Amino acid sequence: MRLYIRGQGLAIGEGERERVERRLGFALGRFGDRVGRVEVHLADRPARGGTGDKWCRVIAEVVGYGAVVVEGDGRDLIDLIDRTADRTGLAVRRRLDRARFARADAN
């Protein structure tokens, strides 16, 4: 997994970077080399109908099956990172499960 972290209007400290690496490593590590490039976009935005002013988007490339995109917003950056990483792990698992079941149905 190649991880890229980008901030928009938000200072991302070493603690936040380590948190993103650790949480996504935990959420996606079990998939091994089936997950390639992972981009994390963090931004400080005014609340527009969401739950807060921090925003996170994770784009995880599932090798051979396209990208999984997960977004979230919230007031607390650490909580937002944790929730988005967990949801990304679930989304990747669903993508791989669907592909596995599609292959099983084809045979």
Side-chain angles (χ1 to χ4, degrees):
M1 173 176 77
R2 294 179 322 272
L3 182 62
Y4 301 91
I5 303 169
R6 293 187 170 87
Q8 299 170 330
L10 182 67
I12 302 171
E14 193 60 34
E16 288 87 3
R17 285 187 182 279
E18 289 175 2
R19 184 71 173 218
V20 168
E21 291 172 6
R22 186 174 61 247
R23 291 300 301 215
L24 282 172
F26 179 74
L28 301 175
R30 63 185 166 169
F31 303 116
D33 59 357
R34 291 179 284 183
V35 175
R37 179 183 179 101
V38 178
E39 292 181 29
V40 179
H41 300 268
L42 299 167
D44 192 7
R45 296 185 172 173
R48 296 180 304 180
T51 58
D53 58 353
K54 305 287 188 276
W55 173 80
C56 179
R57 173 187 287 159
V58 177
I59 304 168
E61 182 66 33
V62 181
V63 177
Y65 300 106
V68 171
V69 180
V70 177
E71 290 186 10
D73 62 357
R75 295 186 191 283
D76 181 38
L77 185 60
I78 298 301
D79 182 53
L80 177 60
I81 290 168
D82 292 349
R83 284 186 293 113
T84 308
D86 290 343
R87 290 178 47 222
T88 302
L90 292 172
V92 169
R93 188 187 76 207
R94 280 193 309 267
R95 175 71 54 96
L96 291 171
D97 285 348
R98 284 186 196 136
R100 187 182 67 199
F101 290 131
R103 278 185 304 198
D105 288 342
N107 292 330

